Amino acid sequence: MSRYILALDQGTTSSRAILFDRSGNIIQMAQQEFTQHYPQPGWVEHNPNELFDSQAVVAAKCLRQAGVTGSEVAAVGIANQRETTVVWNRRTGAPVYNAIVWQDRRTAGFCDSLREQGKACLFAEKTGLVLDAYFSGTKVRWVLENVPGAREQAEAGDLLFGTVDSWLIWNFTKGAVHATDPSNASRTLMFNIHTGDWDDELLELLSVPRSMLPEVVPSSGIMGHMHPEFLGHSLPLAGDAGDQQAATYGNACMLPGMAKNTYGTGCFLLMNTGTEARRSENNLLTTVGWNCGYGLRYALEGSVFIAGAVVQWLRDGLQIISDAAEIEPLASTVRDNGGVFFVPAFAGLGAPYWDQYARGAIVGLTRGVTRGHIARAAIEAIALQTLDIMDCMKKDSGLPLSTLRVDGGASRNNMLMQCQANVLGVPVERPMITETTALGAAYLAGLAVGFWDSEEEVSALWKLDRRFEPAMDEERRAELLHNWHRAVGRAANWIE
């Protein structure tokens, strides 16, 4: 009898594999970082072969370290960094260019030109997205326009496009399956979230041949089988979701009005809106949450481009800490931010500003400012960016927020979680298992093969670790927000 579900969590900086048991507990985990490529300012790339190789290595390592064989695994689920774009040759399986990462800004100018042509409303209406370099469609076009011979190969039907989940599925099935799920498809600027299919009008505007695109299959359901060479057994690939939708599912936000925030490289706040694709009037995204075989479920989303990455910058760029875990004790050396505000717009500003030309700024510096003040301002910046999104989300959804569930690496930072509760004015709940991205992928896969019987069963597995109650008076909160928005104004539209 199969005892485990294996989740593959292919992220922006590392590939991970996590083995879960029937109670949703982590049995074993393996992780491997991979190379980040920055060929030009604003460009971010990954080597697609390194993405797959690292994921295959950690999958095997995870089982080996757990002393588990492939025959004991009921199914495999995949969660992935979204929007990151891979184009490869369907005959050879070789990528024609590096993967262009979601953070990459090289297509900002083309997005501007589409906006000037009056196409922004069309894309928003059909895809729920804003015209931004963040999404996959303009990245595919860039590859076809800039890689010698790529356009001709694509028109001849020889090239395939996929977000990272599709690339993994293709390789793990030895080229037998080219598929994605609706949550990933909804991040491409090419998928109509109302019809549930690729949209020919949008494909024409982006000059992307339909023959390149993967089949869109349910997020929970057997889409193919992993070749036995990888884990010694032909395992069903039965769950697939973009990392943020997977985290929403793993945090058991399965009812309309429930919301979670993931604190990773970026910050991603999603609110379940059920069967209704609510159009945002406040610059948020309307996205597909998942499809478990009973139709599309939708969410409102706000994305912060730089969250945990600001701590990495303090470590690697500014070098005021040597380890990410040092930021909380350093920030605790000061009583408050000393008037310092940090806007980490290293790659522009995401929701609700969508300013491709904003850049990072630290304002309010005086001779009395220390490393501790900058560290505290960085922590506050993550919480304040989240607040901006939640304010818009409540307006768009018409639904009150009673609590915010959290996950991701930075959710272990107690100062950040308390700051988040303070500025939101609602409790923040951190679960026992914060690896909810992988857990969501595991749930989707397990439900598809009967490892778990129902969503009610997996929802009941959610367990509270700590609840952070708001503890800031309204006057102080209003002052913090006022100065934060002044600082955002200083960073806005910096690149001319």
Side-chain angles (χ1 to χ4, degrees):
M1 183 177 178
S2 299
R3 301 164 57 198
Y4 307 106
I5 296 289
L6 180 64
L8 307 181
D9 181 3
Q10 203 300 300
T12 307
T13 58
S14 68
S15 294
R16 296 190 298 169
I18 303 182
L19 195 66
F20 292 95
D21 67 10
R22 208 171 292 272
S23 298
N25 296 318
I26 295 175
I27 301 302
Q28 188 59 256
M29 179 191 306
Q31 180 170 344
Q32 182 173 312
E33 292 190 357
F34 49 82
T35 310
Q36 307 292 310
H37 299 274
Y38 307 101
Q40 293 186 32
W43 292 28
V44 190
E45 297 177 358
H46 295 152
N47 181 324
N49 291 322
E50 190 180 4
L51 293 182
F52 174 70
D53 291 345
S54 62
Q55 192 65 74
V57 165
V58 295
K61 183 179 180 181
C62 183
L63 295 195
R64 186 171 64 251
Q65 290 180 335
V68 169
T69 66
S71 62
E72 296 176 86
V73 177
V76 177
I78 294 172
N80 58 284
Q81 53 166 316
R82 304 171 304 171
E83 298 94 19
T84 295
T85 297
V86 187
V87 176
W88 69 96
N89 187 292
R90 76 162 70 233
R91 304 185 193 287
T92 67
V96 301
Y97 189 76
N98 271 346
I100 302 179
V101 181
W102 58 272
Q103 298 160 317
D104 190 282
R105 310 307 298 165
R106 75 186 67 185
T107 62
F110 178 64
C111 292
D112 288 343
S113 69
L114 286 173
R115 201 174 293 108
E116 289 163 5
Q117 295 169 39
K119 303 300 182 183
C121 287
L122 177 68
F123 279 93
E125 181 182 322
K126 291 191 171 191
T127 71
L129 307 177
V130 299
L131 269 174
D132 190 86
Y134 178 25
F135 304 107
S136 311
T138 61
K139 302 180 194 297
V140 184
R141 178 187 178 277
W142 187 93
V143 171
L144 298 183
E145 296 296 320
N146 290 275
V147 175
R151 170 65 66 187
E152 292 74 20
Q153 291 178 64
E155 297 294 349
D158 291 337
L159 296 189
L160 298 177
F161 149 74
T163 42
V164 173
D165 61 317
S166 297
W167 173 241
L168 296 181
I169 292 166
W170 170 269
N171 281 283
F172 276 125
T173 62
K174 291 289 189 177
V177 179
H178 183 40
T180 191
D181 92 301
S183 72
N184 279 294
S186 72
R187 313 298 296 188
T188 63
L189 283 175
M190 299 182 284
F191 182 78
N192 189 313
I193 63 172
H194 308 291
T195 65
D197 194 10
W198 303 112
D199 190 282
D200 290 324
E201 184 179 12
L202 302 181
L203 292 175
E204 185 175 351
L205 284 170
L206 295 168
S207 302
V208 174
R210 193 181 180 105
S211 61
M212 298 180 69
L213 305 180
E215 179 186 2
V216 181
V217 299
S219 313
S220 180
I222 297 174
M223 61 200 75
H225 286 78
M226 182 182 285
H227 194 278
E229 83 167 50
F230 296 106
L231 297 175
H233 202 73
S234 179
L235 297 176
L237 293 169
D240 179 20
D243 51 11
Q244 302 313 317
Q245 287 93 333
T248 308
Y249 206 81
N251 230 326
C253 294
M254 296 169 186
L255 298 175
M258 298 185 75
K260 71 89 200 178
N261 197 27
T262 296
Y263 300 82
T265 303
C267 237
F268 300 90
L269 181 58
L270 272 75
M271 177 182 280
N272 186 335
T273 61
T275 57
E276 184 178 356
R278 291 180 181 255
R279 176 80 178 268
S280 174
E281 302 297 332
N282 294 280
N283 291 324
L284 300 183
L285 307 178
T286 305
T287 195
V288 174
W290 48 79
N291 179 0
C292 291
Y294 47 75
L296 296 177
R297 295 297 181 266
Y298 297 94
L300 283 167
E301 175 176 339
S303 306
V304 172
F305 292 157
I306 301 293
V310 73
V311 180
Q312 294 173 328
W313 180 77
L314 292 178
R315 181 192 66 193
D316 303 333
L318 208 56
Q319 297 183 356
I320 65 172
I321 55 175
S322 56
D323 185 89
E326 295 174 14
I327 189 165
E328 187 172 359
L330 177 58
S332 298
T333 62
V334 294
R335 186 178 57 185
D336 55 36
N337 63 19
V340 176
F341 288 82
F342 188 165
V343 184
F346 300 143
L349 286 169
Y353 302 101
W354 294 108
D355 185 346
Q356 303 184 90
Y357 303 108
R359 287 298 179 265
I362 302 176
V363 301
L365 296 173
T366 65
R367 285 290 298 272
V369 168
T370 67
R371 293 186 309 144
H373 292 109
I374 293 174
R376 194 175 190 102
I379 288 174
E380 290 179 350
I382 298 172
L384 288 163
Q385 289 179 100
T386 299
L387 171 66
D388 285 341
I389 292 171
M390 182 51 76
D391 282 348
C392 295
M393 198 163 279
K394 287 189 289 188
K395 294 173 186 173
D396 281 334
S397 69
L399 299 169
L401 180 73
S402 57
T403 59
L404 178 67
R405 290 186 172 179
V406 298
D407 56 68
S411 69
R412 300 186 188 96
N413 184 316
N414 291 332
M415 177 180 283
L416 172 58
M417 295 300 96
Q418 185 59 57
C419 181
Q420 191 69 83
N422 288 347
V423 298
L424 284 177
V426 300
V428 167
E429 294 183 339
R430 182 172 64 199
M432 293 288 291
I433 296 177
T434 57
E435 300 292 347
T436 52
T437 297
L439 185 58
Y443 285 160
L444 290 167
L447 286 166
V449 297
F451 189 81
W452 291 290
D453 291 331
S454 67
E455 286 188 342
E456 290 74 21
E457 181 183 355
V458 297
S459 291
L461 298 176
W462 190 92
K463 297 180 181 67
L464 179 69
D465 168 49
R466 181 169 171 182
R467 182 179 170 99
F468 297 84
E469 298 284 350
M472 179 181 283
D473 66 68
E474 186 55 38
E475 184 179 351
R476 171 60 183 145
R477 180 176 177 272
E479 180 187 9
L480 194 67
L481 268 64
H482 173 69
N483 287 322
W484 162 250
H485 291 130
R486 289 175 65 214
V488 170
R490 302 298 195 274
N493 199 34
W494 181 258
I495 300 298
E496 294 180 335

